[in-house]
Amino acid sequence: MKKMFILAIVPFLFIGCIKSTSSTTNCTNVTPAAEEAQIIAYCNANGITYTKDPSGIYYQILELGTLPHPTLSSTITTNYVGKLLNGVIVDQSSAPFTSSLNQLIAGWQIGIQLIGKGGHIKMVVPSSLAYGCYGAPPTIAPNSLLYFDITLVNVQ
């Protein structure tokens, strides 16, 4: 069921990208810099010893995993939980989830490449690298920051 949620969102991401370039829309992505204070506060409150990626993602690698690390063209298998910063779970794997990395949100594309098979990462993803100003209704509101706890089970 949760896999279907993510798979259903992938086409929406592409539509969202098209809409965001239209001059007739009022949708504006929030910049990662504008969300930085909120991300840092969340990390500090939740014991995340973070590193800031230049993209704006904040992450903590709990287990680096083995080499090689995945690339955008890799097929990955993960166990994960995704939450809003208020703690509401928006998605989680009930069984290992497999997808091509290049089909997932930008935050995952950036963060997953930092670990290898067996790796474990916590990430706080700025809204513009998640579902942006369109969100993923009804679960994820526009401009929502997301927290992910991900274990990379396999890389192909």
Side-chain angles (χ1 to χ4, degrees):
M1 181 71 172
K2 297 300 179 178
K3 289 181 187 180
M4 295 304 293
F5 173 76
I6 288 181
L7 293 175
I9 294 301
V10 170
F12 180 81
L13 290 176
F14 294 113
I15 292 168
C17 292
I18 292 167
K19 286 183 180 178
S20 67
T21 60
S22 170
S23 61
T24 61
T25 183
N26 291 327
C27 182
T28 303
N29 284 327
V30 176
T31 66
E35 297 172 326
E36 187 170 37
Q38 190 177 358
I39 293 171
I40 291 170
Y42 178 84
C43 289
N44 290 337
N46 289 279
I48 300 171
T49 307
Y50 61 83
T51 299
K52 180 184 176 187
D53 183 81
S55 67
I57 291 172
Y58 282 69
Y59 65 91
Q60 179 181 4
I61 296 175
L62 302 171
E63 182 67 42
L64 189 56
T66 61
L67 294 174
H69 290 192
T71 64
L72 286 178
S73 61
S74 297
T75 297
I76 60 164
T77 301
T78 64
N79 287 315
Y80 69 94
V81 63
K83 299 178 181 182
L84 299 173
L85 297 195
N86 65 6
V88 172
I89 295 174
V90 294
D91 198 14
Q92 63 184 350
S93 57
S94 56
F97 167 73
T98 301
S99 177
S100 177
L101 185 55
N102 64 13
Q103 296 297 309
L104 301 174
I105 62 171
W108 275 51
Q109 292 177 14
I110 296 162
I112 295 295
Q113 292 185 75
L114 300 172
I115 58 175
K117 181 179 178 179
H120 183 192
I121 190 169
K122 294 180 179 182
M123 298 188 300
V124 181
V125 178
S127 61
S128 64
L129 299 174
Y131 297 98
C133 60
Y134 290 100
T139 311
I140 302 171
N143 295 316
S144 291
L145 293 157
L146 296 175
Y147 163 81
F148 291 99
D149 187 325
I150 304 166
T151 300
L152 185 57
V153 176
N154 198 19
V155 178
Q156 298 173 323

